[in-house]
């Protein structure tokens, strides 16, 4: 007899597959040729409200690059109105003055990925010469007092990870995670590689993709529970949890990683159901939410 899944606590809203970058490690395969999918703004609003009704405390807007979706400000406003803590996982390549006003609202926080302090190495990883833009906008967020966390993802040999970490410290970023590239999406060895997952997918968490498909997490996007245009989010979340269990994903649950002396995790650690900032110090399941109830994710 199947048991009910734990209450939904956190969900990803992947509102677009479009992105200015073409990162070699993108698990979603996003890029300039991506689209916003088929979900309308009204359908996203309904999904957000359903998630809150199911108990969700936090949403993370991801992509692609979520700031490219014209309805992002509206969706953030609706999430805040529903009482959801809101995080936007953005590459911070570009943000308009109006978008900065959206980011500055109480209850909104930012997350982004960083790779290196070297512009050429950054271009090798992302496909664009945009390091100076991301660096500038990280500094802007810090100056404005907008909560921001940054994930350093190891992608290429000889990557200047330590230098990137030092540069972020100089910019005033205090919440930095380190993780390795997950072999899913563009760098995949296989289309459905459960060994790259933390094993907690669908356990209090779920992802909604741009076409309305619900999955246990963005990394496990091949585990499709169904579509919001056919079923309610509650039924789809329960189905995502069952899919993760039946496919053996939950059997692969890894123990919490051990942080180093600086409280950071090494790249060998589990992804923690966090596509870009997976390695987090132990203390929550999954992943610890500093300082209130923050989960990440990202693109």
């Amino acid at each position: 007899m199947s048991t009910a899944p734990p209450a939904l606590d956190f969900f990803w809203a992947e509102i677009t597959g479009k992105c200015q970058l073409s990162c070699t490690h993108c698990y979603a395969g996003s890029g300039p040729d991506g689209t916003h999918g088929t979900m309308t703004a009204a359908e996203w609003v309904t999904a957000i409200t359903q998630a809150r009704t199911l108990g969700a405390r936090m949403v993370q807007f991801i992509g692609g690059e979520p700031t490219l979706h014209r309805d992002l400000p509206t969706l953030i406003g609706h999430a805040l109105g529903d009482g959801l803590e809101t995080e936007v996982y953005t590459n911070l390549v570009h943000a308009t003055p109006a978008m900065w006003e959206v980011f500055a609202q109480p209850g909104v926080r930012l997350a982004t990925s960083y790779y290196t302090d070297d512009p050429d190495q950054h271009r090798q990883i992302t496909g664009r010469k945009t390091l100076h833009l991301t660096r500038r906008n990280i500094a802007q967020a810090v100056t404005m007092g907008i909560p921001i966390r940054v994930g350093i993802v190891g992608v290429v040999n000889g990557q200047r990870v330590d230098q990137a970490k030092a540069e972020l410290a100089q910019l005033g970023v205090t919440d930095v995670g380190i993780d390795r590239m997950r072999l899913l999406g563009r760098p995949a060895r296989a289309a459905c590689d459960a060994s790259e997952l933390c094993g907690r997918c669908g356990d209090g968490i779920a992802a909604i993709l741009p076409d309305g498909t619900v999955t246990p997490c963005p990394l496990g996007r091949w585990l499709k529970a169904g579509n919001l245009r056919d079923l309610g989010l509650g039924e789809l979340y329960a189905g995502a949890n069952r899919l993760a269990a039946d496919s053996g994903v939950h059997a692969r649950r890894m123990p919490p990683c051990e942080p180093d002396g600086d409280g950071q995790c090494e790249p060998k650690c589990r992804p923690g159901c966090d596509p870009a900032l997976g390695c987090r110090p132990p203390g929550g399941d999954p992943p610890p939410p500093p300082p209130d109830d923050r989960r990440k994710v990202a693109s």
Side-chain angles (χ1 to χ4, degrees):
M1 183 175 67
S2 62
T3 59
L8 182 66
D9 182 60
F10 165 83
F11 70 104
W12 293 272
E14 187 175 309
I15 61 175
T16 183
K18 190 175 184 64
C19 185
Q20 306 99 321
L21 309 179
S22 300
C23 295
T24 58
H25 60 291
C26 183
Y27 66 88
S30 303
D33 295 330
T35 73
H36 296 328
T38 55
M39 285 278 284
T40 66
E43 287 171 330
W44 278 116
V45 164
T46 298
I48 291 168
T49 296
Q50 286 185 21
R52 185 69 184 95
T53 301
L54 291 170
R57 293 182 292 168
M58 184 174 180
V59 56
Q60 186 188 66
F61 292 101
I62 60 174
E65 172 48 40
T67 62
L68 295 179
H69 198 297
R70 68 179 183 180
D71 293 316
L72 177 62
T74 297
L75 299 180
I76 290 175
H78 182 76
L80 293 174
D82 273 357
L84 287 165
E85 189 77 12
T86 301
E87 185 172 81
V88 180
Y89 208 104
T90 167
N91 58 34
L92 283 178
V93 167
H94 178 68
T96 64
M99 189 61 73
W100 281 115
E101 291 183 10
V102 173
F103 291 160
Q105 294 177 95
V108 178
R109 62 186 78 240
L110 298 177
T112 193
S113 297
Y114 210 68
Y115 308 99
T116 176
D117 66 333
D118 180 76
D120 290 333
Q121 197 171 64
H122 174 89
R123 180 174 57 82
Q124 177 188 358
I125 294 169
T126 67
R128 292 285 298 276
K129 295 181 179 181
T130 55
L131 175 60
H132 65 293
L133 299 174
T134 297
R135 183 191 293 125
R136 182 189 68 192
N137 287 321
I138 289 174
Q140 175 75 3
V142 172
T143 298
M144 294 179 66
I146 300 171
I148 183 170
R149 62 194 182 98
V150 180
I152 301 175
V153 183
V155 180
V156 298
N157 292 330
Q159 189 171 325
R160 293 171 58 85
V161 170
D162 290 340
Q163 293 84 347
K165 184 177 177 182
E167 186 170 69
L168 290 169
Q170 292 175 352
L171 291 172
V173 179
T174 58
D175 190 352
V176 179
I178 299 175
D179 194 18
R180 66 169 177 84
M181 174 177 67
R182 299 293 153 185
L183 299 179
L184 296 165
R186 286 203 180 102
R189 297 172 300 196
C192 310
D193 189 350
S195 69
E196 290 297 296
L197 303 176
C198 71
R200 292 170 171 80
C201 307
D203 228 352
I205 57 179
I208 305 171
L209 304 186
D211 66 351
T213 296
V214 175
T215 71
C217 88
L219 289 175
R221 59 206 302 118
W222 67 87
L223 298 170
K224 299 178 180 180
N227 195 284
L228 283 170
R229 289 175 170 170
D230 302 316
L231 297 170
L233 183 58
E235 186 173 351
L236 292 170
Y237 162 58
N241 177 271
R242 287 194 299 271
L243 277 173
D246 293 345
S247 64
V249 170
H250 288 173
R252 301 189 60 85
R253 289 182 182 176
M254 302 177 188
C257 61
E258 293 297 331
D260 61 22
D262 296 327
Q264 302 295 334
C265 295
E266 295 299 323
K268 64 185 179 181
C269 297
R270 61 177 173 85
C273 281
D274 187 336
L277 297 186
C279 246
R280 306 293 298 176
D285 180 30
D292 297 316
D293 181 38
R294 178 167 37 174
R295 309 284 175 90
K296 159 325 184 122
V297 177
S299 68

